[in-house]
Amino acid sequence: MTNGLTGVARWRSACTGPLLAASLTLLAGCTTVKEQGAHHAGARPAEPERQVADYLATPCPTLWRLKGAVAENNPLYWLRGIDCAERLAPADARSLAHRFDEETWQAAFRQGILLAKAKITPQERRHNLNKLDNMSYAVPRQVHTLYQMLRDNQAQELSLSDARWRYSTLQEQSDSELDELRQQQKHLHGQLEQTRRKLQNLTDIERQLSSRKGASSYLPDGDAPAPQAPQSDDAQEAKP
Protein backbone atom coordinates (compact mmCIF):
# COMPACT_ATOMS: atom_id res chain seq x y z
CA MET A 1 0.00 0.00 0.00
CA THR A 2 2.78 2.33 0.89
CA ASN A 3 4.45 1.62 -2.39
CA GLY A 4 1.25 2.49 -4.23
CA LEU A 5 0.96 5.87 -2.52
CA THR A 6 4.56 6.60 -3.23
CA GLY A 7 4.03 5.89 -6.95
CA VAL A 8 1.04 8.18 -7.13
CA ALA A 9 3.01 10.96 -5.47
CA ARG A 10 5.83 10.55 -7.93
CA TRP A 11 3.37 10.59 -10.86
CA ARG A 12 1.76 13.82 -9.65
CA SER A 13 5.14 15.40 -9.13
CA ALA A 14 6.23 14.42 -12.64
CA CYS A 15 3.07 15.81 -14.19
CA THR A 16 2.65 19.04 -12.24
CA GLY A 17 6.30 20.09 -12.46
CA PRO A 18 6.46 20.75 -16.22
CA LEU A 19 2.92 22.16 -16.29
CA LEU A 20 3.74 24.64 -13.58
CA ALA A 21 6.88 25.67 -15.33
CA ALA A 22 4.98 26.19 -18.58
CA SER A 23 2.34 28.26 -16.80
CA LEU A 24 4.95 30.44 -15.18
CA THR A 25 6.69 30.93 -18.48
CA LEU A 26 3.38 31.96 -20.14
CA LEU A 27 2.56 34.38 -17.36
CA ALA A 28 6.01 35.85 -17.56
CA GLY A 29 5.59 36.32 -21.28
CA CYS A 30 2.22 38.04 -20.86
CA THR A 31 3.66 40.27 -18.20
CA THR A 32 6.52 41.21 -20.49
CA VAL A 33 4.17 42.04 -23.37
CA LYS A 34 1.96 44.15 -21.11
CA GLU A 35 4.94 46.00 -19.73
CA GLN A 36 6.29 46.62 -23.19
CA GLY A 37 2.85 47.79 -24.40
CA ALA A 38 2.53 50.10 -21.43
CA HIS A 39 6.02 51.40 -22.08
CA HIS A 40 5.26 52.18 -25.75
CA ALA A 41 1.87 53.67 -24.92
CA GLY A 42 3.34 56.10 -22.45
CA ALA A 43 6.40 57.03 -24.48
CA ARG A 44 6.43 60.27 -26.59
CA PRO A 45 6.97 59.91 -30.37
CA ALA A 46 10.53 60.46 -31.37
CA GLU A 47 11.16 63.70 -33.26
CA PRO A 48 12.82 63.46 -36.69
CA GLU A 49 16.50 63.95 -36.55
CA ARG A 50 16.45 66.29 -39.55
CA GLN A 51 13.64 68.75 -40.32
CA VAL A 52 12.95 69.94 -43.88
CA ALA A 53 13.17 73.71 -44.21
CA ASP A 54 10.13 75.49 -45.61
CA TYR A 55 11.37 78.15 -48.05
CA LEU A 56 7.91 79.24 -49.22
CA ALA A 57 7.89 81.98 -46.56
CA THR A 58 11.48 83.13 -47.15
CA PRO A 59 11.78 86.75 -48.39
CA CYS A 60 12.85 86.93 -52.02
CA PRO A 61 16.02 89.04 -51.45
CA THR A 62 17.16 86.55 -48.83
CA LEU A 63 16.33 83.57 -51.02
CA TRP A 64 18.69 84.55 -53.86
CA ARG A 65 21.58 84.86 -51.38
CA LEU A 66 21.12 81.34 -50.02
CA LYS A 67 23.54 78.75 -51.36
CA GLY A 68 24.67 75.30 -50.41
CA ALA A 69 23.38 71.76 -50.69
CA VAL A 70 20.81 72.17 -47.90
CA ALA A 71 18.94 74.84 -49.84
CA GLU A 72 19.78 73.93 -53.42
CA ASN A 73 18.80 70.27 -53.06
CA ASN A 74 15.39 71.23 -51.70
CA PRO A 75 12.61 71.54 -54.32
CA LEU A 76 10.79 74.07 -52.11
CA TYR A 77 13.73 76.44 -52.51
CA TRP A 78 13.40 76.44 -56.29
CA LEU A 79 9.61 76.69 -56.18
CA ARG A 80 9.98 79.81 -54.07
CA GLY A 81 12.53 81.09 -56.60
CA ILE A 82 10.02 80.66 -59.43
CA ASP A 83 7.43 82.56 -57.40
CA CYS A 84 9.89 85.39 -56.69
CA ALA A 85 11.01 85.62 -60.34
CA GLU A 86 7.44 86.06 -61.56
CA ARG A 87 7.09 89.16 -59.39
CA LEU A 88 10.12 90.90 -60.87
CA ALA A 89 10.05 93.40 -63.72
CA PRO A 90 11.88 92.20 -66.86
CA ALA A 91 14.73 94.68 -66.37
CA ASP A 92 15.19 93.66 -62.72
CA ALA A 93 15.12 89.98 -63.62
CA ARG A 94 17.82 90.52 -66.25
CA SER A 95 20.00 92.46 -63.83
CA LEU A 96 19.68 89.78 -61.15
CA ALA A 97 20.32 86.94 -63.59
CA HIS A 98 23.66 88.44 -64.63
CA ARG A 99 24.94 87.92 -61.08
CA PHE A 100 24.81 84.15 -61.52
CA ASP A 101 27.34 83.58 -64.28
CA GLU A 102 29.11 80.55 -62.83
CA GLU A 103 29.42 77.36 -64.87
CA THR A 104 27.28 75.31 -62.48
CA TRP A 105 23.86 73.75 -62.65
CA GLN A 106 22.72 76.00 -59.79
CA ALA A 107 23.67 79.15 -61.74
CA ALA A 108 22.05 77.79 -64.91
CA PHE A 109 18.89 76.98 -62.94
CA ARG A 110 18.73 80.45 -61.37
CA GLN A 111 19.32 82.21 -64.68
CA GLY A 112 16.72 80.02 -66.36
CA ILE A 113 14.15 80.88 -63.69
CA LEU A 114 14.89 84.61 -63.77
CA LEU A 115 14.99 84.93 -67.56
CA ALA A 116 11.96 82.76 -68.26
CA LYS A 117 9.56 85.74 -68.11
CA ALA A 118 12.06 88.54 -68.79
CA LYS A 119 11.08 89.05 -72.49
CA ILE A 120 14.47 87.95 -73.78
CA THR A 121 15.34 87.58 -77.45
CA PRO A 122 15.29 84.18 -79.17
CA GLN A 123 19.09 84.23 -79.30
CA GLU A 124 19.29 84.76 -75.53
CA ARG A 125 16.72 82.05 -74.89
CA ARG A 126 18.63 79.59 -77.10
CA HIS A 127 21.85 80.39 -75.19
CA ASN A 128 20.06 79.84 -71.89
CA LEU A 129 18.60 76.56 -73.14
CA ASN A 130 22.03 75.30 -74.21
CA LYS A 131 23.41 76.14 -70.79
CA LEU A 132 20.62 74.19 -69.09
CA ASP A 133 21.34 71.20 -71.31
CA ASN A 134 25.08 71.33 -70.68
CA MET A 135 24.63 71.34 -66.89
CA SER A 136 21.78 68.84 -66.61
CA TYR A 137 24.13 65.95 -65.87
CA ALA A 138 25.02 67.40 -62.45
CA VAL A 139 21.47 68.11 -61.23
CA PRO A 140 20.59 66.06 -58.11
CA ARG A 141 17.66 63.71 -58.24
CA GLN A 142 15.57 65.72 -55.76
CA VAL A 143 15.24 68.74 -58.07
CA HIS A 144 15.73 67.08 -61.46
CA THR A 145 12.00 67.12 -62.21
CA LEU A 146 11.74 70.89 -61.69
CA TYR A 147 14.91 71.44 -63.68
CA GLN A 148 13.58 69.39 -66.60
CA MET A 149 10.23 71.20 -66.50
CA LEU A 150 11.98 74.55 -66.77
CA ARG A 151 14.14 73.27 -69.62
CA ASP A 152 11.13 71.91 -71.54
CA ASN A 153 9.23 75.15 -71.03
CA GLN A 154 12.13 77.16 -72.44
CA ALA A 155 12.33 74.82 -75.43
CA GLN A 156 8.62 75.32 -76.11
CA GLU A 157 8.98 79.09 -75.84
CA LEU A 158 11.88 78.97 -78.31
CA SER A 159 9.88 76.84 -80.76
CA LEU A 160 6.97 79.24 -80.50
CA SER A 161 9.28 82.19 -81.10
CA ASP A 162 10.76 80.50 -84.18
CA ALA A 163 7.28 79.81 -85.50
CA ARG A 164 6.32 83.44 -85.01
CA TRP A 165 9.47 84.57 -86.81
CA ARG A 166 8.74 82.28 -89.76
CA TYR A 167 5.16 83.49 -89.92
CA SER A 168 6.30 87.11 -89.79
CA THR A 169 8.83 86.48 -92.56
CA LEU A 170 6.23 84.80 -94.73
CA GLN A 171 3.79 87.62 -94.02
CA GLU A 172 6.35 90.22 -95.07
CA GLN A 173 7.15 88.31 -98.24
CA SER A 174 3.47 87.94 -99.00
CA ASP A 175 2.84 91.63 -98.42
CA SER A 176 5.79 92.51 -100.66
CA GLU A 177 4.54 90.24 -103.42
CA LEU A 178 1.03 91.65 -103.12
CA ASP A 179 2.38 95.18 -103.33
CA GLU A 180 4.40 94.26 -106.42
CA LEU A 181 1.31 92.71 -107.99
CA ARG A 182 -0.66 95.88 -107.26
CA GLN A 183 2.03 97.95 -108.93
CA GLN A 184 2.00 95.67 -111.96
CA GLN A 185 -1.78 95.81 -112.09
CA LYS A 186 -1.67 99.60 -111.92
CA HIS A 187 0.93 99.72 -114.72
CA LEU A 188 -1.09 97.34 -116.90
CA HIS A 189 -4.23 99.33 -116.26
CA GLY A 190 -2.44 102.49 -117.39
CA GLN A 191 -1.21 100.78 -120.55
CA LEU A 192 -4.71 99.48 -121.22
CA GLU A 193 -6.17 102.96 -120.89
CA GLN A 194 -3.51 104.34 -123.22
CA THR A 195 -4.20 101.64 -125.81
CA ARG A 196 -7.93 102.27 -125.51
CA ARG A 197 -7.42 105.97 -126.16
CA LYS A 198 -5.27 105.24 -129.20
CA LEU A 199 -7.89 102.89 -130.57
CA GLN A 200 -10.55 105.51 -129.97
CA ASN A 201 -8.49 108.08 -131.85
CA LEU A 202 -7.96 105.70 -134.76
CA THR A 203 -11.67 104.96 -134.82
CA ASP A 204 -12.47 108.67 -134.93
CA ILE A 205 -9.96 109.25 -137.75
CA GLU A 206 -11.37 106.33 -139.73
CA ARG A 207 -14.90 107.64 -139.22
CA GLN A 208 -13.88 111.08 -140.44
CA LEU A 209 -12.21 109.63 -143.55
CA SER A 210 -15.24 107.54 -144.30
CA SER A 211 -17.47 110.60 -143.95
CA ARG A 212 -15.31 112.58 -146.38
CA LYS A 213 -15.28 109.81 -148.95
CA GLY A 214 -19.03 109.49 -148.75
CA ALA A 215 -19.51 113.23 -149.16
CA SER A 216 -17.34 113.41 -152.28
CA SER A 217 -19.21 110.52 -153.92
CA TYR A 218 -22.61 112.19 -153.59
CA LEU A 219 -21.83 115.75 -154.95
CA PRO A 220 -24.79 117.33 -157.02
CA ASP A 221 -24.47 117.78 -160.88
CA GLY A 222 -24.48 121.61 -160.82
CA ASP A 223 -21.50 121.62 -158.67
CA ALA A 224 -19.49 119.46 -161.04
CA PRO A 225 -17.42 121.29 -163.74
CA ALA A 226 -19.03 121.38 -167.27
CA PRO A 227 -17.35 119.28 -169.93
CA GLN A 228 -15.64 121.22 -172.76
CA ALA A 229 -16.83 120.66 -176.38
CA PRO A 230 -14.26 119.33 -178.78
CA GLN A 231 -12.84 121.94 -181.25
CA SER A 232 -12.36 121.39 -185.00
CA ASP A 233 -9.03 121.46 -186.77
CA ASP A 234 -9.82 124.78 -188.56
CA ALA A 235 -10.58 126.50 -185.29
CA GLN A 236 -7.40 125.25 -183.85
CA GLU A 237 -5.40 126.59 -186.87
CA ALA A 238 -7.12 130.02 -186.68
CA LYS A 239 -5.72 130.56 -183.28
CA PRO A 240 -2.50 132.63 -183.41
Side-chain angles (χ1 to χ4, degrees):
M1 186 69 178
T2 305
N3 294 332
L5 294 175
T6 304
V8 172
R10 290 179 180 176
W11 178 83
R12 292 179 62 183
S13 175
C15 292
T16 57
L19 182 61
L20 180 60
S23 299
L24 292 176
T25 303
L26 180 61
L27 290 175
C30 294
T31 304
T32 304
V33 171
K34 289 182 179 180
E35 290 177 354
Q36 291 178 354
H39 174 72
H40 287 293
R44 297 178 58 185
E47 296 182 357
E49 297 180 358
R50 185 175 182 179
Q51 296 181 351
V52 178
D54 184 7
Y55 293 97
L56 298 181
T58 304
C60 294
T62 304
L63 184 81
W64 299 117
R65 292 193 297 267
L66 294 177
K67 291 186 178 182
V70 175
E72 294 167 344
N73 292 350
N74 190 337
L76 297 179
Y77 170 82
W78 298 106
L79 287 174
R80 178 57 175 168
I82 294 173
D83 180 60
C84 292
E86 291 179 350
R87 303 181 184 186
L88 291 174
D92 296 335
R94 285 170 175 268
S95 177
L96 184 58
H98 289 321
R99 301 180 186 177
F100 307 108
D101 56 353
E102 304 90 356
E103 294 295 327
T104 61
W105 71 266
Q106 297 92 331
F109 204 0
R110 289 187 177 96
Q111 285 186 341
I113 292 173
L114 290 167
L115 298 178
K117 302 296 183 180
K119 299 180 180 180
I120 58 178
T121 64
Q123 292 76 14
E124 291 173 327
R125 196 176 299 278
R126 183 173 289 105
H127 176 75
N128 186 29
L129 181 61
N130 292 335
K131 191 172 183 179
L132 288 172
D133 289 338
N134 294 334
M135 296 298 169
S136 61
Y137 72 93
V139 179
R141 180 180 54 84
Q142 297 91 324
V143 297
H144 188 270
T145 301
L146 286 176
Y147 191 92
Q148 187 65 32
M149 288 177 60
L150 176 69
R151 187 267 172 202
D152 293 343
N153 182 56
Q154 293 303 299
Q156 292 177 0
E157 289 287 341
L158 185 59
S159 299
L160 181 60
S161 177
D162 291 341
R164 289 173 179 171
W165 179 82
R166 289 193 298 268
Y167 175 78
S168 177
T169 302
L170 292 175
Q171 186 68 32
E172 290 178 359
Q173 293 178 353
S174 177
D175 292 342
S176 178
E177 292 175 358
L178 287 175
D179 185 64
E180 184 178 354
L181 289 175
R182 292 191 189 98
Q183 295 296 330
Q184 292 179 359
Q185 184 181 12
K186 184 178 180 179
H187 179 69
L188 292 175
H189 183 72
Q191 289 184 339
L192 181 62
E193 289 295 329
Q194 186 178 3
T195 303
R196 186 180 291 112
R197 286 193 297 269
K198 289 181 179 180
L199 290 175
Q200 185 65 38
N201 292 335
L202 291 175
T203 302
D204 294 341
I205 293 173
E206 184 178 359
R207 187 180 297 111
Q208 291 175 4
L209 292 175
S210 299
S211 299
R212 291 177 182 177
K213 289 180 181 180
S216 61
S217 300
Y218 294 101
L219 286 174
D221 295 340
D223 296 338
Q228 297 181 356
Q231 297 180 359
S232 62
D233 293 340
D234 293 339
Q236 290 178 358
E237 291 178 357
K239 290 182 180 181

